[in-house]
Amino acid sequence: MTTERFTIGKKVIVAITGLVLTAGSLGPAGAQAGTTGESTGESTAAVAAPKPPKGARAVVQVSPNPTTRRGQELTITGHCGGGKGLKAVLGGIDREHPMLRNVRIIDDNPRGFVAKATLAPHIGNGVGPIFVDCGGEAGVTLLVTHV
């Protein structure tokens, strides 16, 4: 194991090369075998999915995904990851031509929200983002369209 120091401005970054290389080469299976006192599921979850930063902890899913026709009704579900409740659902980044029309929040529960929307008639084949605002936490997923 080697230790290297890098200076960036006034901050010193220390890299422990041997440890980084070992952790990277072990992967989730190696990390499980090397842990003591932890259950297998906890160590896998910690390695596989680091916790997102504050402000980006909402989780969102869209179904059906992929969509197959224009005007199709979509169901947007998820949870707010500590946010106050579902405040808005946005489809795409173009405000003049949004991907979603007639967005309705059915249940704004932060532990399990539900919204409905229809796919815009101008949408073609492709991929676009669906954003949710949960009052302090946000989330995004991709919607695939095959129309």
Side-chain angles (χ1 to χ4, degrees):
M1 180 169 15
T2 60
T3 303
E4 297 179 32
R5 293 181 184 265
F6 302 96
T7 304
I8 300 175
K10 293 183 179 180
K11 295 183 180 182
V12 175
I13 299 174
V14 177
I16 303 173
T17 310
L19 190 58
V20 173
L21 291 175
T22 303
S25 65
L26 288 176
Q32 290 173 6
T35 59
T36 57
E38 287 187 88
S39 72
T40 303
E42 290 174 353
S43 63
T44 302
V47 171
K51 192 172 182 179
K54 181 109 177 94
R57 294 184 182 164
V59 174
V60 59
Q61 299 91 27
V62 177
S63 83
N65 194 3
T67 59
T68 56
R69 68 181 195 282
R70 294 174 180 98
Q72 184 172 13
E73 184 171 77
L74 305 172
T75 302
I76 299 102
T77 58
H79 65 81
C80 288
K84 298 175 184 172
L86 184 62
K87 306 294 183 204
V89 177
L90 303 171
I93 55 175
D94 184 356
R95 288 187 177 194
E96 292 180 24
H97 305 97
M99 291 175 49
L100 301 179
R101 301 256 172 116
N102 194 24
V103 177
R104 303 166 314 280
I105 297 174
I106 307 300
D107 185 1
D108 66 353
N109 185 345
R111 293 186 180 176
F113 60 76
V114 177
K116 299 273 188 178
T118 54
L119 189 61
H122 67 274
I123 296 298
N125 292 330
V127 177
I130 304 295
F131 301 97
V132 294
D133 174 6
C134 281
E137 299 291 340
V140 65
T141 193
L142 293 175
L143 174 63
V144 178
T145 57
H146 293 294
V147 293

